[in-house]
Amino acid sequence: MEYEGRYRMAAAKYDCLLFDLDDTLYPYSSGIAAACGQNIKDYMVEKLGIERSKIEDLGNLLYKNYGTTMAGLRAIGYDFDYDDYHSFVHGRLPYENLKPDPVLRSLLLSLPLRKIIFTNADKVHAVKVLSRLGLEDCFEGIICFETLNPTHKNTVSDDEDDIGFVESAASTTTSANGPQIFDIIGHFAQPNPSLVALPKTPIACKPSELAIEKALKIASINPQRTLFFEDSVRNIQAGKRVGLDTVLIGKSQRVKGADYAFESIHNIKEAIPELWESDMKSEVGYPGQVAVETSVTA
């Protein structure tokens, strides 16, 4: 097949596998992504008072320019509690659509390499998804929203000592005159709108290369020895730019920045059998619940 003969020394080349969570470890057809998207729109209307007629255009611009709608909302001036946002957006998801996946569990446990989750979602959502899939003991740890965005911080720090998991707390700032909202729709309606003029977000998330680099530092991951699994093309391309080898999930054709591409995570052994060629023990599991912490250690 297409992948035969490629990276024959993969087992020696990689010592860590970095996995996105949503739409990577389970299919998009689960309906989780669609429900999450609707919940985000409802939050914008019900909690932030944004006109529903503007939601579609605003959401698209925020997602395109900031990686997530949440990061974009904070960038343009909306102030809200991060925990409240995640509770609203994820609290009503149809988790019952996710079923235990013994095939994937067996594949993951048999991989003799470090395995870590890297998601933009919050820790509650990540743990719940892994539990529903029956994969809670298959990963060494989770790098999630709280890992890169300590909730007592309102700005992104370049100091790696400031990066780490902090327990839930209020994450809002207040203004005596109320929030000043940047009109991003009006900005892009202008001729030749400048990307430089866009306000920055205090939220670190994929596909920001800085966010990915911080995640790698937190988990002591060498990008040259890591394979990154993602369903997002732009996250794959950002990962490639920071030195990761990449696997695009959900597509059969490789795109720029993707070293591999296959329809389902279940195809991993068929596509990259070399990952199993190691002298290490044949099953690697992590007793109990997966850890969510500042540093990820075995």
Side-chain angles (χ1 to χ4, degrees):
M1 58 185 298
E2 177 185 351
Y3 306 104
E4 288 183 352
R6 302 185 65 234
Y7 296 102
R8 300 309 302 176
M9 297 302 292
K13 182 174 184 180
Y14 303 119
D15 58 25
C16 182
L17 305 179
L18 191 62
F19 293 88
D20 175 50
L21 179 69
D22 296 301
D23 302 327
T24 295
L25 296 186
Y26 63 84
Y28 177 83
S29 60
S30 68
I32 296 293
C36 187
Q38 184 58 54
N39 291 346
I40 291 172
K41 294 176 182 177
D42 291 343
Y43 183 90
M44 293 166 71
V45 173
E46 297 175 26
K47 295 287 189 174
L48 301 181
I50 301 172
E51 294 178 28
R52 190 169 290 277
S53 61
K54 297 181 178 179
I55 294 298
E56 198 71 31
D57 288 342
L58 179 59
N60 288 339
L61 285 173
L62 296 180
Y63 184 79
K64 177 180 178 180
N65 289 283
Y66 292 101
T68 67
T69 306
M70 181 185 189
L73 287 168
R74 286 291 283 116
I76 65 174
Y78 286 99
D79 196 15
F80 49 87
D81 183 87
Y82 295 166
D83 292 334
D84 180 65
Y85 179 92
H86 285 130
S87 178
F88 188 101
V89 169
H90 294 146
R92 300 180 292 176
L93 292 179
Y95 289 109
E96 65 276 7
N97 292 355
L98 300 178
K99 308 299 182 184
D101 191 339
V103 173
L104 180 55
R105 175 181 172 79
S106 177
L107 286 168
L108 290 170
L109 290 177
S110 68
L111 277 163
L113 302 165
R114 294 182 72 198
K115 297 176 288 290
I116 297 171
I117 294 290
F118 180 22
T119 176
N120 282 337
D122 65 303
K123 65 182 184 293
V124 172
H125 172 75
V127 170
K128 187 174 293 187
V129 167
L130 290 175
S131 178
R132 293 291 304 186
L133 295 173
L135 307 177
E136 60 267 36
D137 60 345
C138 294
F139 298 92
E140 180 181 323
I142 302 171
I143 301 167
C144 58
F145 177 85
E146 291 90 344
T147 315
L148 297 182
N149 300 277
T151 51
H152 67 284
K153 299 283 186 179
N154 290 312
T155 58
V156 175
S157 170
D158 291 330
D159 183 352
E160 64 182 274
D161 292 332
D162 287 345
I163 307 163
F165 174 70
V166 176
E167 288 295 340
S168 177
S171 58
T172 61
T173 57
T174 58
S175 169
N177 300 319
Q180 298 296 313
I181 307 302
F182 178 80
D183 182 10
I184 192 170
I185 295 178
H187 175 77
F188 279 98
Q190 300 173 10
N192 304 313
S194 170
L195 294 178
V196 178
L198 290 178
K200 294 183 179 180
T201 181
I203 291 177
C205 61
K206 297 178 288 184
S208 162
E209 291 172 39
L210 176 61
I212 296 173
E213 289 172 344
K214 287 181 177 181
L216 299 180
K217 289 180 182 179
I218 288 169
S220 299
I221 293 172
N222 178 353
Q224 278 72 42
R225 292 183 56 79
T226 300
L227 194 56
F228 180 37
F229 296 79
E230 255 280 2
D231 68 289
S232 164
V233 171
R234 62 180 180 172
N235 290 351
I236 282 286
Q237 293 172 341
K240 193 65 178 176
R241 288 193 294 271
V242 303
L244 294 162
D245 277 3
T246 57
V247 180
L248 179 63
I249 301 297
K251 300 285 191 298
S252 58
Q253 297 296 318
R254 288 192 298 134
V255 298
K256 181 180 179 180
D259 296 292
Y260 298 92
F262 36 90
E263 290 286 350
S264 167
I265 192 68
H266 290 129
N267 301 132
I268 183 173
K269 193 166 188 177
E270 176 187 7
I272 322 176
E274 296 85 0
L275 294 176
W276 278 261
E277 295 175 6
S278 173
D279 292 329
M280 297 175 64
K281 62 181 181 179
S282 61
E283 184 167 296
V284 180
Y286 304 94
Q289 274 199 340
V290 69
V292 187
E293 49 194 354
T294 301
S295 60
V296 185
T297 57

